[in-house]
Coordinates of all heavy atoms in Angstrom, one line a residue:
Chain A
P14 N 8.7 0.3 10.7 CA 7.4 0.3 11.2 C 7.0 -1.0 11.9 O 6.1 -1.1 12.7 CB 6.5 0.5 9.9 CG 7.5 0.3 8.8 CD 8.8 0.7 9.3
V15 N 7.6 -2.1 11.5 CA 7.4 -3.4 12.1 C 8.6 -3.8 12.9 O 9.7 -3.9 12.4 CB 7.1 -4.5 11.1 CG1 5.6 -4.4 10.7 CG2 7.9 -4.3 9.9
R16 N 8.3 -4.0 14.2 CA 9.4 -4.4 15.1 C 9.6 -5.9 15.1 O 10.5 -6.4 15.8 CB 9.0 -4.0 16.5 CG 9.2 -2.5 16.8 CD 10.7 -2.2 17.0 NE 11.3 -3.1 17.9 CZ 11.2 -3.2 19.2 NH1 10.4 -2.3 19.7 NH2 11.8 -4.1 19.9
Q17 N 8.8 -6.6 14.3 CA 8.8 -8.1 14.4 C 10.0 -8.7 13.6 O 9.9 -9.9 13.2 CB 7.5 -8.6 13.8 CG 7.1 -7.8 12.6 CD 5.7 -8.2 12.1 OE1 5.3 -9.3 12.4 NE2 5.1 -7.3 11.4
C18 N 11.0 -8.0 13.4 CA 12.1 -8.5 12.6 C 13.1 -9.3 13.5 O 14.2 -9.6 13.0 CB 12.9 -7.3 11.9 SG 11.8 -6.3 10.9
E19 N 12.7 -9.7 14.6 CA 13.6 -10.3 15.6 C 13.7 -11.8 15.2 O 14.8 -12.3 15.1 CB 13.0 -10.2 17.0 CG 13.1 -8.7 17.4 CD 12.0 -8.4 18.5 OE1 11.4 -9.3 18.9 OE2 11.9 -7.2 18.9
T20 N 12.6 -12.5 15.1 CA 12.7 -13.9 14.7 C 13.3 -14.0 13.3 O 13.1 -13.1 12.4 CB 11.4 -14.6 14.7 OG1 10.6 -14.2 13.5 CG2 10.6 -14.1 15.9
P21 N 14.1 -15.1 13.0 CA 14.7 -15.2 11.7 C 13.7 -15.3 10.6 O 13.9 -14.6 9.5 CB 15.4 -16.6 11.8 CG 14.8 -17.3 12.9 CD 14.3 -16.2 13.9
A22 N 12.6 -16.0 10.8 CA 11.6 -16.1 9.7 C 11.0 -14.7 9.4 O 10.6 -14.5 8.3 CB 10.5 -17.1 10.1
A23 N 10.9 -13.9 10.4 CA 10.2 -12.6 10.2 C 11.1 -11.6 9.5 O 10.6 -10.6 8.9 CB 9.9 -12.0 11.6
Q24 N 12.4 -11.9 9.4 CA 13.3 -11.0 8.6 C 12.8 -10.9 7.1 O 12.8 -9.9 6.5 CB 14.7 -11.5 8.6 CG 15.3 -11.4 10.0 CD 16.7 -11.8 10.0 OE1 17.2 -12.5 9.1 NE2 17.5 -11.5 11.1
A25 N 12.3 -12.1 6.7 CA 11.8 -12.1 5.3 C 10.6 -11.2 5.1 O 10.6 -10.4 4.2 CB 11.3 -13.6 5.0
A26 N 9.8 -11.2 6.1 CA 8.6 -10.3 6.1 C 9.0 -8.8 6.0 O 8.5 -8.0 5.3 CB 7.7 -10.5 7.3
C27 N 10.1 -8.5 6.7 CA 10.5 -7.1 6.8 C 11.1 -6.7 5.4 O 10.8 -5.6 4.9 CB 11.6 -6.9 7.8 SG 10.9 -7.0 9.5
S28 N 11.8 -7.6 4.8 CA 12.3 -7.3 3.4 C 11.2 -7.1 2.5 O 11.2 -6.1 1.7 CB 13.2 -8.5 2.9 OG 14.3 -8.7 3.8
V29 N 10.2 -8.0 2.5 CA 9.0 -7.8 1.7 C 8.4 -6.5 1.9 O 8.0 -5.7 1.0 CB 8.0 -8.9 1.9 CG1 6.7 -8.7 1.1 CG2 8.6 -10.3 1.5
L30 N 8.2 -6.1 3.2 CA 7.6 -4.9 3.5 C 8.4 -3.7 3.0 O 7.8 -2.7 2.5 CB 7.6 -4.7 5.1 CG 6.2 -4.9 5.7 CD1 5.3 -5.7 4.8 CD2 6.3 -5.5 7.0
E31 N 9.7 -3.8 3.0 CA 10.6 -2.8 2.4 C 10.2 -2.6 0.9 O 10.0 -1.5 0.4 CB 12.1 -3.2 2.5 CG 12.7 -2.9 3.8 CD 13.1 -1.5 3.9 OE1 13.6 -1.0 2.9 OE2 13.0 -0.9 5.0
V32 N 10.2 -3.7 0.2 CA 9.9 -3.7 -1.2 C 8.5 -3.1 -1.4 O 8.3 -2.2 -2.3 CB 9.9 -5.1 -1.9 CG1 9.6 -5.0 -3.3 CG2 11.3 -5.7 -1.6
L33 N 7.6 -3.6 -0.7 CA 6.2 -3.1 -0.8 C 6.1 -1.6 -0.6 O 5.4 -0.9 -1.3 CB 5.3 -3.9 0.1 CG 4.4 -4.9 -0.5 CD1 5.1 -5.8 -1.5 CD2 3.7 -5.7 0.5
G34 N 6.9 -1.2 0.4 CA 6.9 0.3 0.6 C 7.4 1.1 -0.6 O 6.8 2.1 -0.8
R35 N 8.3 0.5 -1.3 CA 8.8 1.3 -2.4 C 7.9 1.2 -3.6 O 7.8 2.1 -4.4 CB 10.2 0.7 -2.8 CG 11.2 0.8 -1.7 CD 12.6 0.3 -2.0 NE 13.3 -0.1 -0.8 CZ 13.9 0.8 -0.1 NH1 13.9 2.1 -0.4 NH2 14.6 0.4 1.0
V36 N 7.3 0.0 -3.8 CA 6.5 -0.2 -5.0 C 5.0 0.1 -4.7 O 4.2 0.1 -5.7 CB 6.7 -1.7 -5.4 CG1 5.9 -2.0 -6.7 CG2 8.2 -1.9 -5.7
S37 N 4.7 0.3 -3.5 CA 3.3 0.6 -3.2 C 2.9 1.9 -3.8 O 3.7 2.6 -4.4 CB 3.0 0.6 -1.7 OG 3.5 1.7 -1.1
G38 N 1.7 2.3 -3.6 CA 1.2 3.5 -4.3 C 0.6 3.1 -5.6 O 1.1 2.2 -6.2
K39 N -0.5 3.7 -5.9 CA -1.2 3.2 -7.1 C -0.4 3.2 -8.4 O -0.7 2.4 -9.3 CB -2.4 4.1 -7.3 CG -3.6 3.9 -6.4 CD -4.6 5.0 -6.4 CE -5.4 5.0 -7.6 NZ -6.5 6.1 -7.5
W40 N 0.6 4.0 -8.5 CA 1.2 4.3 -9.8 C 2.6 3.7 -10.0 O 3.0 3.6 -11.2 CB 1.2 5.8 -10.0 CG -0.1 6.4 -9.7 CD1 -0.4 7.2 -8.7 CD2 -1.3 6.2 -10.5 NE1 -1.8 7.5 -8.7 CE2 -2.3 6.9 -9.8 CE3 -1.7 5.5 -11.6 CZ2 -3.7 7.0 -10.3 CZ3 -3.0 5.5 -12.1 CH2 -3.9 6.3 -11.4
S41 N 3.3 3.3 -9.0 CA 4.7 2.9 -9.1 C 4.8 1.8 -10.1 O 5.7 1.8 -11.0 CB 5.2 2.5 -7.8 OG 5.2 3.5 -6.8
I42 N 4.0 0.8 -10.0 CA 4.1 -0.4 -10.8 C 3.8 -0.1 -12.3 O 4.5 -0.5 -13.2 CB 3.3 -1.5 -10.3 CG1 3.8 -2.1 -9.0 CG2 3.2 -2.7 -11.3 CD1 3.2 -3.3 -8.5
G43 N 2.8 0.7 -12.5 CA 2.5 1.1 -13.8 C 3.6 1.9 -14.5 O 4.0 1.6 -15.7

Side-chain angles (χ1 to χ4, degrees):
Chain A
V15 274
R16 284 284 313 285
Q17 39 186 338
C18 303
E19 295 154 4
T20 78
Q24 294 182 345
C27 289
S28 299
V29 174
L30 253 25
E31 280 277 322
V32 181
L33 253 47
R35 302 178 201 281
V36 179
S37 75
K39 281 164 76 174
W40 310 110
S41 299
I42 291 188

